[in-house]
Amino acid sequence: MAAKIMSDKLPKIVTELPGPRAREVMENDHRYISPSYTRSYPLVAKSARGAIVEDVDGNFFLDFSAGIAVCSTGHCHPDVVRAIQKQAESLIHMSGTDFYYEQMPQLARKLEALMPDGKDWRCFFGNSGTEAIEAAMKLARYATGRWQFIAFQFSFHGRTMGSLSLTSSKAVQRKGFGPLVPGVTHIPYGNASYLEDVVFKTTVNAGEVAAIVVEAIQGEGGYVVPPPEFLPTLEKIARKHGILLIADEVQCGMGRTGKMFGFEHFDFHPDIVAIAKGIASGMPLGVTMAHADVMTWQPGAHASTFGGNPVCLAAALETVRLLQEQYVANSAKMGAFIRPKLEKLMSRHAVISDVRGLGLMIGVEITKDRKTREKAPELRDAIINECFHRGLLILAAGPSTIRLSPPLMVDEEQAQFAVDTLSDAIAAVAK
Ligand code: PLP
């Protein structure tokens, strides 16, 4: 089926891609900007609203990436924009490290109320996912007096030295940066008993492990949903050995999976939760939440000049309200709408070997063919590029997965367009 073109909710491509202005920006970018960024295709964004992004040449794209799973309420949601404007007019910065302002406890209180265990929680505010993880690592060491960590193969936790030591998503992310923080052991994701049966018997003394750091649904690793027993078994092992559980909800949190937190899909009760990406609709905010009896470090132990900036907190307060009122439910609903349609595509395209995910965190696995399951990263990248030329913005995850992570406000028409476009792109590329 040919994808439908144009309405204010659907894409419209009017120039060759990249267009002339886009090419100009890219030339400057290549001259002045760090070459470490990985741009999959030449989108040069100018403005955006809802799930539509306009580029500098007047082309309109449907965004199924949400700026890497960030713009949870859609681009420039009017309520979020209003909250940012209002806050910016009265107080932009004061530094929560040295002074008080009311938005900090306001948001922390809201976040505590979102936690399903009903316990007392405390919040530390940073500016990004990696900072939320750094704070979680430091807190776990501080609270336990232990130094080691367990993390998982293919996981992603950030790129600063501590979080990078946990990250095990792609070799290039670590190459050239060693030695990293010592004490991290990576084990296969989805196999909790490996910890008890192998690691604690052979390599690591369980009594020296401060925390297990885990994504409830693996993000950068390829949108992998673990088997149902994985997280509960991990919890049993952690409790037995006095190890803290850190849930990295940076990507799978804030409604992405159709529940507020990814770990809520499982019988799992973390002590520390790291949040970022979707929490403030695109404003930079990272939050490390911990049970009040875990976050007891002394004044001066950890802080951040900008973390929990009032403008970002205002955006987060509005985002949480919108998520609670509408978009977490819409994420679950639209996930249920899209998933069967993508599964149906498997009968049309032999290169799709798996469709998986929860809510609007959906992975489509591309392999050479379904029987061999040989990974096909180049084909995956070609499909993503073809989608771009057809007006659909999607990203890769893991070795051979296409990730769909749209804003949580997308509707059926947009979801149908994404499915049709993906199908047309595969048909065009996978000959
Ligand atoms: N943790 C997870 C699960 C992530 O997906 C990411 C980013 O993709 C991070 C941490 C790091 O977040 P940031 O890029 O904001 O530092």
Side-chain angles (χ1 to χ4, degrees):
M1 190 205 311
K4 271 195 299 171
I5 302 292
M6 196 50 199
S7 82
D8 57 348
K9 289 194 295 173
L10 293 177
K12 184 183 174 199
I13 305 301
V14 294
T15 70
E16 57 172 348
L17 294 175
R21 278 169 183 270
R23 277 202 296 271
E24 228 175 275
V25 175
M26 287 164 64
E27 257 169 49
N28 280 328
D29 190 287
H30 293 156
R31 163 66 182 80
Y32 293 109
I33 301 303
S34 161
S36 61
Y37 297 132
T38 49
R39 278 71 173 260
S40 318
Y41 44 77
L43 174 79
V44 181
K46 184 177 120 192
S47 63
R49 191 67 179 249
I52 293 291
V53 178
E54 183 186 5
D55 80 356
V56 286
D57 293 292
N59 298 298
F60 293 86
F61 299 85
L62 178 64
D63 185 7
F64 262 55
S65 78
I68 328 187
V70 168
C71 300
S72 49
T73 57
H75 291 274
C76 301
H77 190 291
D79 295 353
V80 175
V81 171
R82 216 171 295 118
I84 292 169
Q85 285 170 336
K86 193 163 163 244
Q87 185 57 46
E89 279 165 13
S90 60
L91 182 72
I92 292 179
H93 177 78
M94 198 57 210
S95 191
T97 286
D98 285 286
F99 305 99
Y100 297 98
Y101 39 87
E102 65 181 348
Q103 294 83 359
M104 269 200 174
Q106 254 173 20
L107 181 62
R109 191 173 177 169
K110 261 201 160 188
L111 292 175
E112 179 187 79
L114 297 180
M115 284 297 162
D117 67 4
K119 292 193 177 167
D120 289 351
W121 290 77
R122 283 186 172 148
C123 286
F124 173 87
F125 293 109
N127 308 283
S128 62
T130 197
E131 285 171 83
I133 293 293
E134 292 290 333
M137 289 179 83
K138 285 177 72 177
L139 179 62
R141 279 189 169 177
Y142 189 99
T144 60
R146 303 174 180 188
W147 65 286
Q148 299 207 50
F149 292 93
I150 301 296
F152 295 90
Q153 288 159 3
F154 294 100
S155 64
F156 187 89
H157 299 288
R159 293 170 180 274
T160 48
M161 281 301 185
S163 66
L164 181 61
S165 311
L166 301 172
T167 287
S168 153
S169 164
K170 291 197 185 93
V172 66
Q173 292 156 351
R174 296 162 67 99
K175 187 178 170 206
F177 301 126
L180 300 177
V181 174
V184 179
T185 301
H186 290 97
I187 66 169
Y189 185 73
N191 184 357
S193 47
Y194 186 84
L195 193 55
E196 197 78 298
D197 297 346
V198 180
V199 176
F200 289 164
K201 285 195 179 134
T202 57
T203 358
V204 175
N205 173 3
E208 290 176 73
V209 177
I212 298 170
V213 188
V214 65
E215 297 166 88
I217 294 98
Q218 233 176 23
E220 302 300 306
Y223 278 26
V224 182
V225 183
E229 73 285 357
F230 172 58
L231 290 170
T233 309
L234 217 51
E235 181 167 329
K236 269 191 210 117
I237 296 170
R239 297 296 171 237
K240 181 172 154 197
H241 297 287
I243 298 170
L244 294 174
L245 291 167
I246 300 176
D248 182 343
E249 289 279 325
V250 169
Q251 186 148 181
C252 64
M254 305 319 289
R256 172 71 33 212
T257 65
K259 291 186 188 280
M260 189 59 86
F261 298 107
F263 68 76
E264 290 183 83
H265 291 277
F266 307 93
D267 187 13
F268 187 67
H269 311 89
D271 307 284
I272 302 176
V273 178
I275 306 168
K277 285 200 188 277
I279 190 170
S281 297
M283 295 297 280
L285 181 65
V287 189
T288 307
M289 295 187 69
H291 284 145
D293 58 359
V294 172
M295 193 175 274
T296 57
W297 42 15
Q298 62 187 353
H302 197 49
S304 160
T305 298
F306 290 117
N309 163 286
V311 183
C312 300
L313 295 183
L317 283 161
E318 208 49 27
T319 300
V320 171
R321 181 184 69 75
L322 289 163
L323 291 178
Q324 281 187 296
E325 286 177 10
Q326 305 174 50
Y327 296 137
V328 180
N330 194 56
S331 171
K333 185 175 143 212
M334 295 312 301
F337 178 82
I338 297 177
R339 274 286 296 282
K341 293 181 190 303
L342 290 171
E343 279 157 15
K344 253 196 186 160
L345 291 190
M346 290 178 73
S347 57
R348 201 173 150 204
H349 304 291
V351 296
I352 303 181
S353 63
D354 192 20
V355 173
R356 55 181 182 249
L358 291 166
L360 286 175
M361 185 170 188
I362 303 174
V364 178
E365 186 73 15
I366 303 294
T367 37
K368 290 219 163 115
D369 83 36
R370 207 170 294 147
K371 266 187 233 118
T372 63
R373 292 186 77 87
E374 188 186 337
K375 296 197 184 305
E378 285 105 22
L379 177 60
R380 183 267 315 268
D381 294 347
I383 294 166
I384 288 174
N385 194 46
E386 182 66 25
C387 283
F388 166 66
H389 283 86
R390 292 165 183 262
L392 178 68
L393 305 179
I394 50 176
L395 289 172
S400 204
T401 309
I402 289 171
R403 78 171 105 179
L404 303 181
S405 60
L408 306 183
M409 39 60 67
V410 286
D411 65 14
E412 290 188 0
E413 192 183 3
Q414 292 169 320
Q416 187 65 56
F417 179 90
V419 172
D420 293 345
T421 304
L422 183 60
S423 179
D424 293 348
I426 294 173
V429 168
K431 296 211 176 87

